[in-house]
Amino acid sequence: MNEKVILFTAGLAFIITVVLSPIFIPFLRRLKFGQSIREEGPKSHQKKSGTPTMGGLMILLSLSITTFVMSDLFFERTAQTYLLLFVTIGYGLLGFVDDFIKVVMKRNLGLTSKQKLAGQLFIALVFYFFFQHYSISTVVSIPGTNVSIDLGAAYILLIIFMLVGGSNAVNFTDGLDGLLAGTAAIAFGAYAVLAWNQGQYDIAIFSVAVVGAVLGFLVFNAHPAKVFMGDTGSLALGGAIVTVAILTKLEILLVIIGGVFVIETLSVIIQVISFKTTGKRVFRMSPLHHHYELIGWSEWRVVVTFWAVGLLFAILGIYIEVWV
């Protein structure tokens, strides 16, 4: 394995997405799979109503094809490859059902919170069932230290917490044109470097395939977006990044590498707790990216700033794991 394989993987996934998009976008538009914009959201977003959504299908198709092609060409397909694809496609299908209810059945909130949680838990439990058969360690290491804790049977609780919480955190971040595509590419890029450094080339290839797929999607999702990934894409990417973190045994490091996702989630939690306990809002709107919009930042400025913050978190995560 060498750097040329990595570049070829990213390039293949990028090209597949770019080629698929001009086909999928008009198709989604003809099916009237247009995004419904929440009335309580920023008023400037109302003009985005009707923009085709479910574009995450292109990302899923691209990364799946690329992963299978590259595994056939350059390395033996492993159980980890199948676990990664299972969780990614599983969460993607859950998101697809949510999107379908929103845009076709015209129920703006999609699946109820209980229905979505049940789907997330089911996928997490199936993942753990197969995960434990491959004798993967239940030891969790604290980044930057020599401290490690063997959770034993309790490791399943960490997996459930990470998959449910992580997929929702990434979903919260998908609120502005190009925001999630860019931050996801950065986070998966960081884990690709770390997986490669561990010699886990199957995970590295998968991660790079995701990077190429979302960057190809970004061509059409950058402001002003011609297509949204919807929950089809955001839940899939959330499940995928968590699974990569688990399989590389860098679970806790995800808090740093996925720092933008963590901050977005914390902003929602803080806002809810503050409003329910004091009747006051800490932010003008949550998740946090909407707060910056409402204080006068342009959408593009918010997105680029969050990309930059995500890049700093990714560099910090790599530094802690490789050099500290």
Side-chain angles (χ1 to χ4, degrees), residues 24-25 28-29 32-36 50-58 96 99-100 102-103 174 217 226-233:
F24 263 79
I25 294 173
L28 293 172
R29 188 176 289 113
K32 301 187 184 300
F33 285 0
Q35 179 71 42
S36 298
T51 301
T53 188
M54 298 190 193
L57 289 170
M58 296 180 287
F96 176 81
D99 286 333
F100 187 85
K102 291 176 184 176
V103 302
D174 185 28
F217 182 77
K226 297 178 178 64
V227 64
F228 299 137
M229 68 173 69
D231 285 4
T232 306

Side-chain angles (χ1 to χ4, degrees), residues 90-133:
Y91 274 86
L93 290 175
L94 181 64
F96 176 81
V97 173
D98 193 39
D99 286 333
F100 187 85
I101 293 173
K102 291 176 184 176
V103 302
V104 177
M105 301 179 66
K106 306 300 180 185
R107 207 171 83 193
N108 198 30
L109 294 179
L111 290 170
T112 65
S113 57
K114 290 182 179 179
Q115 289 171 334
K116 187 179 290 186
L117 178 60
Q120 291 170 316
L121 285 173
F122 175 76
I123 296 168
L125 289 172
V126 174
F127 166 74
Y128 180 74
F129 175 78
F130 288 103
F131 172 86
Q132 66 177 343
H133 283 284

Side-chain angles (χ1 to χ4, degrees), residues 74-96:
F74 295 104
F75 64 90
E76 183 179 353
R77 199 173 299 151
T78 65
Q80 295 192 139
T81 303
Y82 289 109
L83 286 173
L84 285 163
L85 289 172
F86 166 74
V87 174
T88 304
I89 295 172
Y91 274 86
L93 290 175
L94 181 64
F96 176 81

